[in-house]
């Protein structure tokens, strides 16, 4: 496969680019994560979201522990070539490690963050902790 597409991306100083995962069926933004070149290559090859975990400093195959895999249906690059948008089918309906559908579950109300999305599955069950 021609990998010139990787050279079009404006990678940051750490060799990463932010990647937004959006549900292909609902249009809801599920999460934001980071990708390096290898993560994007694997995502393209496997049609499954693979990210770079900054906290663990390793590749992160979304759903490898929880089973909540993201099947990728489309990949877009923004106008500045510095943000990836993944259109995904979220298996299991849970994208967030907190057991929620998405990572954006806190809403600013007046001057505090209120959790407005329910936990769908206890994280200790998802990650066998």
């Amino acid at each position: 496969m021609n990998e010139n597409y990787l050279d079009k991306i404006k990678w940051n100083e750490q060799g990463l680019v932010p990647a937004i995962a959006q549900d292909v069926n609902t249009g809801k933004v599920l999460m934001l994560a980071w990708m390096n070149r290898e993560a994007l290559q694997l995502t393209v090859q496997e049609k499954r979201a693979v990210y770079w975990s900054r906290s663990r400093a390793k590749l992160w195959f979304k759903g490898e522990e929880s089973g909540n895999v993201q099947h990728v249906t489309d990949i877009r690059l923004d106008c500045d070539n510095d943000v990836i948008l993944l259109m995904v089918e979220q298996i299991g309906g849970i994208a967030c490690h907190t057991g929620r559908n998405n990572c954006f579950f806190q809403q600013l109300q007046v001057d505090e963050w209120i959790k407005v999305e329910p936990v769908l599955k206890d994280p200790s069950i998802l990650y066998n902790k």
Side-chain angles (χ1 to χ4, degrees), residues 11 37 39 67 69 86-87 92 98 115 120 122:
W11 306 94
R37 291 174 77 93
V69 174
L86 302 177
M87 298 304 295
T98 66
K115 294 176 178 156
L120 302 176
D122 184 327

Coordinates of all heavy atoms in Angstrom, one line a residue, residues 11 37 39 67 69 86-87 92 98 115 120 122:
W11 N 2.3 15.9 12.0 CA 2.5 15.2 13.3 C 3.1 16.3 14.3 O 3.9 17.1 13.9 CB 3.5 14.1 13.1 CG 3.0 13.1 12.1 CD1 3.4 13.1 10.8 CD2 2.1 12.0 12.2 NE1 2.8 12.0 10.1 CE2 2.0 11.4 10.9 CE3 1.3 11.5 13.3 CZ2 1.2 10.3 10.7 CZ3 0.5 10.4 13.0 CH2 0.4 9.8 11.8
R37 N 2.3 7.2 13.6 CA 2.3 6.6 12.3 C 1.9 5.2 12.3 O 1.1 4.7 11.4 CB 3.7 6.8 11.6 CG 4.0 8.2 11.3 CD 5.4 8.4 10.8 NE 5.5 8.0 9.4 CZ 5.4 8.8 8.3 NH1 5.2 10.1 8.6 NH2 5.6 8.4 7.1
A39 N 0.1 3.5 14.5 CA -1.3 3.3 14.9 C -2.2 3.6 13.7 O -3.1 2.8 13.4 CB -1.6 4.2 16.0
G67 N -13.4 -5.4 25.0 CA -14.2 -6.0 24.0 C -15.0 -5.0 23.2 O -15.6 -5.3 22.2
V69 N -14.6 -2.8 20.7 CA -13.8 -2.5 19.5 C -14.5 -1.5 18.7 O -15.7 -1.3 18.7 CB -13.7 -3.8 18.7 CG1 -13.0 -3.6 17.4 CG2 -12.9 -4.9 19.5
L86 N -12.2 9.6 12.7 CA -12.5 8.2 12.3 C -14.0 8.1 12.5 O -14.6 8.4 13.5 CB -11.9 7.2 13.3 CG -10.3 7.3 13.5 CD1 -9.9 6.3 14.5 CD2 -9.7 6.9 12.1
M87 N -14.7 7.6 11.5 CA -16.1 7.2 11.5 C -16.1 5.7 11.9 O -15.4 4.9 11.2 CB -16.8 7.4 10.2 CG -16.8 8.9 9.8 SD -17.5 10.0 10.9 CE -19.2 9.5 11.0
G92 N -20.5 -2.9 21.2 CA -20.9 -2.9 22.6 C -21.5 -1.6 23.1 O -21.9 -1.5 24.2
T98 N -14.9 4.7 31.4 CA -15.8 4.8 32.6 C -17.0 4.0 32.4 O -17.9 4.0 33.3 CB -16.2 6.3 32.8 OG1 -17.0 6.7 31.7 CG2 -14.9 7.2 33.0
K115 N -22.2 15.2 35.6 CA -22.2 14.0 34.8 C -23.6 13.8 34.3 O -24.5 13.6 35.0 CB -21.7 12.8 35.6 CG -20.3 12.9 36.0 CD -19.8 11.8 36.9 CE -18.3 12.1 37.1 NZ -17.9 11.5 38.3
L120 N -23.1 2.7 31.5 CA -23.8 1.5 30.9 C -23.3 0.2 31.5 O -24.0 -0.8 31.5 CB -23.7 1.6 29.4 CG -24.2 2.8 28.7 CD1 -23.9 2.8 27.2 CD2 -25.7 3.0 29.0
D122 N -20.3 -1.3 34.5 CA -19.3 -1.0 35.5 C -17.9 -1.3 35.0 O -17.7 -2.4 34.4 CB -19.6 -1.9 36.7 CG -18.7 -1.7 37.9 OD1 -17.5 -1.3 37.7 OD2 -19.1 -1.9 39.0

